[in-house]
Structures are given as C-alpha cells and as structure tokens.
Amino acid sequence: MNSLPCLIDSHTHLTAKEFDADRQQVLDRARALGVTCFVSVGAGYGIESASAAVKLAEQQTDVYASVGLHPNDAAAAFDDSLLPALATHSKVVAIGETGFDFYWKHATKEQQERWFRHQVELALSVRKPIIIHSREAGLECLALLKEYPVHEVGGVFHCFAEDLEFAKRLRDINFSISIPGTVTFKKADNVRTVAEGIPLDQLLIETDAPFLAPEPFRGKRNESSYMTHTAERIAAVRNISVAELAAATAENARKLFNLPQS
C-alpha cells in the first residue's frame, strides 16, 4: 500500500492494555503508512487513563492527549480535581470523551450527566474542544451541549452513528464528525451516507483503537495503521482521491485540536 500524506488518527486509545506488549511497534507501523499524528484519548479505562495518556504524549512528539471520564465509568466516585489539573498541559488538546451512553447502562443518566457537565464546563474554561461519546443518546447529548456556548471551543462526535440530518445540526454548534472503521462494514450504509454527505471540512477520521477494526481486520485488535483502509473507503464514497481526503481531514484535525503542522 502506498504511503499517505498527513493522516491523523483523531481518536485512539494508545494507553489501552491491548497495546502493552507492542505499543512502540504499533506507532511505528502507522507512521510508516503516513499517519503523522495521534490523539490518544485518556478516557474509557477509568479516570487514571487520563494521566496515562498525558504521560505517553510527553514521551512521543507526535502523540497528543485528551483527558476525560467516559460516561460508562461515571458511576464510580472520582476526585473532581484530577481533570482540571491535567487540562492545561501543553500536550492536552481536548477534553473527553464524555457524553451519554444509554446502550450499556453502566451508570445512570444522572451520574453520566454530572460528569458530562463537569467536562463541558472544563473545556470552556481551558478553551479546548470537546470529544463526545454518544450511544443511543444523540438528541440528549445535543440538548445538553446547546445549554452552553460550546461553539466557542468546538468539538467532535466520535464514532458517529447518527444520520445525515443530525450531522448537519452539529455544524450549527461548530462540531465535527469523526468516522471510524465501521464505514467499511458491509451493512454500514448509514455511516457511508454520512461520510459522503457531510461537508469535507466537517470530517475527521479515527480508529477508536483497539476497537472497531475495519475490514479486512474486523474482529481483531485495531491499530492506527489500519486507518488507511478507512480512508480508502471514505474517499471512494466521496469520489475523491485518498491523498485529497487525507490532506483535508488532517487539516480539519489540526484546526480543531490546534495541532502543529506536520
């Protein structure tokens, strides 16, 4: 496969235990295929994952971090001061992922909402974008976000699973759409419709690694090098070159997360 210019993995979990044995090799494989930057999301493995993401970002020049508490972890009692302490770090480029998850129900709506609001308010305080996790909760996430001036900092709905009309509503609050490897799945017509129909300047690409590996790796551990397959499928449905897609989505990620030029 030819190297691609300027791909940015806008959402990966590089500190996940699934990468403990070969994390450096995972990064190097992705770099060899043109992935020039990684946003490692410090949420989804308890609040301690925020600190781990920042530590990794300090060690790798092309890795940046977000810090947050995943809605599925919101039932536990955590120190509210940890995220604000990390949020101003120079390599922290976003807050989250946060939002609502009504599929798993690991935490009540009230527990999730408390941390959701905490992170939205933190993002506005430190002037950094918000990464949203929404599962069977798109309207509820949007309603809460619209209570705040979130357009001032922007953000992204990651692993986007809503429809094209919903995507258009997010543009009104300065939010991007991030498409993962699900766009390659045989039955993912809705994801492809969104990937084709949204404005190119609203589009990001992600892996959500170690989850959601694209075809032909579906069911295996995902990693950032596999996002080339995701990029190829999105480029095909948009009828543009992979190079054009990669350059545009990388520029979108740089603008959203205030990343340096590669």
Side-chain angles (χ1 to χ4, degrees), residues 113-177:
E113 182 173 340
R114 174 191 171 227
W115 279 99
F116 192 177
R117 291 187 182 276
H118 176 64
Q119 291 170 85
V120 170
E121 291 164 5
L122 175 60
L124 289 168
S125 174
V126 298
R127 313 306 292 175
K128 292 181 180 180
I130 309 160
I131 299 175
I132 296 296
H133 172 101
S134 171
R135 190 158 187 190
E136 298 187 0
L139 292 175
E140 290 85 353
C141 285
L142 180 58
L144 188 147
L145 289 169
K146 291 179 76 171
E147 293 181 30
Y148 297 89
V150 294
H151 64 280
E152 295 177 0
V153 296
V156 56
F157 269 60
H158 102 94
C159 281
F160 190 75
E162 308 295 336
D163 60 20
L164 185 56
E165 289 304 312
F166 189 86
K168 292 176 180 177
R169 296 175 66 182
L170 294 182
R171 194 170 179 85
D172 294 336
I173 60 169
N174 194 26
F175 267 64
S176 297
I177 304 300

Side-chain angles (χ1 to χ4, degrees), residues 11 37 43 57 63 105 119 144 174 202 204 206 217 220 243 249:
H11 191 113
C37 190
V63 174
K105 300 181 174 66
Q119 291 170 85
L144 188 147
N174 194 26
Q202 195 183 6
L204 303 180
E206 66 171 274
F217 304 103
K220 300 180 180 180
T249 55

Side-chain angles (χ1 to χ4, degrees), residues 23-60:
R23 186 169 290 107
Q24 188 61 53
Q25 291 86 346
V26 165
L27 286 165
D28 290 342
R29 281 193 291 270
R31 290 163 178 152
L33 289 176
V35 182
T36 62
C37 190
F38 310 80
V39 177
S40 187
V41 175
Y45 295 85
I47 204 163
E48 300 83 3
S49 62
S51 298
V54 173
K55 183 177 180 180
L56 180 65
E58 290 175 336
Q59 297 168 347
Q60 303 279 345

Side-chain angles (χ1 to χ4, degrees), residues 208-225:
D208 198 28
F211 313 108
L212 300 179
E215 299 288 0
F217 304 103
R218 187 174 182 180
K220 300 180 180 180
R221 183 193 73 172
N222 198 8
E223 59 178 77
S224 294
S225 62

